[in-house]
């Protein structure tokens, strides 16, 4: 995760918003980071992540016992948090 992100604060916000155990959220975020790290950047250096592909990747991991909706809820809440902090956005 980026140095600009307070991981503890992020986990607390996501846990409050999603009602999911912070340990499970941390696991989802770990797999998300692996997926993003393996994604290819475009010519502008931007990485376009398809949310459905990301959710499928995370739920396919053996140690993730959450359903797709829960994983998607966690990732959506994380994106809201990052956008509020000005650290992420959507590409049109």
């Amino acid at each position: 995760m980026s140095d600009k992100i307070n991981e503890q604060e992020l986990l607390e916000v996501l846990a409050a918003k999603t009602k999911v155990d912070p340990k499970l959220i941390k696991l989802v975020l770990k797999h998300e980071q692996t997926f993003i790290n393996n994604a290819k950047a475009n010519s502008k250096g931007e990485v376009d992540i398809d949310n459905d592909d990301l959710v499928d990747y995370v739920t396919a991991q053996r140690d993730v016992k959450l359903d797709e909706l829960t994983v998607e809820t966690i990732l959506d809440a994380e994106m809201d948090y990052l956008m509020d902090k000005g650290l992420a956005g959507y590409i049109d």
Side-chain angles (χ1 to χ4, degrees):
M1 256 183 238
S2 169
D3 293 337
K4 297 178 185 175
I5 300 172
N6 179 329
E7 185 177 353
Q8 188 60 40
E9 177 186 336
L10 173 63
L11 290 174
E12 288 172 7
V13 168
L14 297 183
K17 210 173 211 185
T18 65
K19 309 295 186 236
V20 175
D21 183 327
K23 290 178 186 170
L24 297 175
I25 293 171
K26 193 170 186 171
L27 183 62
V28 168
L29 298 180
K30 179 187 87 163
H31 288 303
E32 174 196 29
Q33 192 62 53
T34 300
F35 183 86
I36 290 170
N37 289 344
N38 292 329
K40 304 286 185 237
N42 65 17
S43 61
K44 297 178 185 173
E46 299 169 333
V47 177
D48 185 17
I49 303 294
D50 181 280
N51 201 45
D52 292 335
D53 291 343
L54 176 57
V55 170
D56 289 345
Y57 174 82
V58 172
T59 56
Q61 304 310 303
R62 288 187 200 177
D63 55 348
V64 176
K65 304 296 184 215
L66 300 169
D67 60 59
E68 283 186 22
L69 183 59
T70 303
V71 170
E72 188 169 356
T73 301
I74 292 168
L75 296 174
D76 287 346
E78 180 200 22
M79 188 62 168
D80 291 344
Y81 173 87
L82 295 175
M83 287 178 20
D84 288 347
K85 296 287 184 182
L87 300 171
Y90 290 103
I91 298 173
D92 292 331

